[in-house]
Amino acid sequence: MTSPSPSNNLQAYLTRILTKLQDATSKKDKHKQVRDSLRVALDIVQDSGSFLSLSDPNQVTSYPEWDSLLNRLVAPFQLITERKTNSTKLFVYTTDCLFRLISHGYLRGTVVDETEPDSRLINRVISIVIKCADVNDDAVQSQVVKTLVAAVESPLCEIHRNTLLNAIKCCYQLQITAKAQSKTHQEA
C-alpha cells in the first residue's frame, strides 16, 4: 500500500510518514530524542485542525500557523541526520517526505527558520538533505539527488548562493562516487 500523496490529504500523509519514522527508530536510548521529536511533530500534525486536509498548497501555506508547523516538522529530520543512525529507512523516509513537501509546493523559500531568524527554512532543509548523502546506500543517495533537484528546480523554493552551491556540490560528489564505484565493480 502506498502513502497518500500530500496533494490529496497532507494531514494523512504527514501522519503516515511520521508514524513510519517512529516505527523505524529503535527503542535504544540514543534514539530517544529523535522519537520524542517525532512524537511532538505527530501530535502537532494531528491537532492542527482542518487546514491540513485542504488539497491546495496555496490554501494550506496561507494559514499563519503553517510556518511554525513546518519548522517543527523539520526538527526531527535534523535530529535524524545529526545522530548518524544506522537505519537507512530513517534517511529514506526523511528525504522522501522533504521531497514531497517541496515538489507539491508546501515547502517554500519564504518560510523563516525559527532556529535562525536571519535565515530561511529551505536552507536548513537543504543542509539536512545533504547530510543524508553521507549514508552509503543507493536508495538514500537516489532520494538525495531527487530532492535536491526538485528544490533547485522549484520556483517556490528560491534557492540561492551557498545553499545552491552546496546542493550542486553534493550532486556532483555523488555522481563522482557512483562512477568510481562503477569502475571498481567492472574491474573486479
Side-chain angles (χ1 to χ4, degrees), residues 30-47:
K30 70 178 185 176
H31 292 147
K32 183 178 180 347
Q33 193 175 7
V34 173
R35 278 194 321 276
D36 291 346
S37 183
L38 286 165
R39 179 81 248 154
V40 167
L42 190 55
D43 289 345
I44 290 168
V45 167
Q46 291 173 339
D47 296 339

Side-chain angles (χ1 to χ4, degrees), residues 134-151:
D134 293 341
V135 177
N136 192 14
D137 180 82
D138 290 342
V140 174
Q141 292 178 353
S142 175
Q143 280 291 122
V144 166
V145 171
K146 186 169 84 169
T147 305
L148 291 175
V149 168

